[in-house]
Amino acid sequence: MAAKTNPTASELAILSVLWRRGPSTVREIHTECEGEHGTGYTSVLKLMQIMTEKGLVKRDEKERAHVYRAALKQEATQKRMVGDLLDRVFGGSAAQLAMRALSTRKASREEIAQIRELLDRMEGEKK
């Protein structure tokens, strides 16, 4: 089942743990989230249940401690959320989104090089 909605901030925190660690139990996710957000175990468990219903995570019930994994890869989730932001806030203009992002936070030399490489590649595809 595909995710029905974009993840909330709390759901993204859990997905970040799953993308970083791979399949994990609620206890493992709680251990990582507790230090960062002070989230209780039962709150993480309830959120994981909701995320399963939304199609954001998948649950393996073979073992006593259920193991969860992200239903979508990080890149696919980012792409979906950026597309939504692009449409809702920037009227579909990728240029406005990119300019706003770059004017809001300073990009590192490495990030600027990656952006140039992407633009060069995109320009080469148009020829």
Side-chain angles (χ1 to χ4, degrees):
M1 162 178 35
K4 299 171 187 159
T5 61
N6 284 333
T8 65
S10 297
E11 291 167 346
L12 276 173
I14 289 172
L15 286 171
S16 292
V17 172
L18 291 171
W19 289 324
R20 187 172 55 252
R21 287 182 49 96
S24 304
T25 64
V26 173
R27 180 139 334 269
E28 292 167 334
I29 294 164
H30 170 255
T31 299
E32 289 213 22
C33 290
E34 183 180 34
E36 297 172 25
H37 308 286
T39 308
Y41 178 86
T42 54
S43 297
V44 173
L45 175 61
K46 182 63 180 169
L47 199 49
M48 297 296 296
Q49 292 167 341
I50 291 168
M51 291 172 71
T52 301
E53 291 171 16
K54 287 174 137 184
L56 295 170
V57 297
K58 294 189 179 189
R59 179 176 52 216
D60 181 352
E61 299 176 1
K62 292 177 190 160
E63 302 295 324
R64 187 177 189 286
H66 297 172
V67 175
Y68 291 83
R69 65 180 172 82
L72 294 173
K73 292 184 178 185
Q74 185 174 13
E75 184 178 306
T77 300
Q78 289 171 338
K79 198 173 193 177
R80 179 179 174 167
M81 292 182 75
V82 167
D84 184 50
L85 180 68
L86 190 64
D87 291 339
R88 287 185 306 114
V89 180
F90 295 95
S93 173
Q96 283 185 14
L97 171 65
M99 288 185 290
R100 182 63 56 222
L102 291 171
S103 69
T104 302
R105 294 215 176 109
K106 187 173 181 173
S108 69
R109 289 183 191 275
E110 182 180 282
E111 290 170 327
I112 291 170
Q114 290 172 338
I115 292 166
R116 279 196 180 110
E117 184 180 313
L118 174 64
L119 292 172
D120 290 345
R121 204 170 45 241
M122 290 174 78
E123 198 169 74
E125 290 173 2
K126 290 184 181 181
K127 292 180 181 180

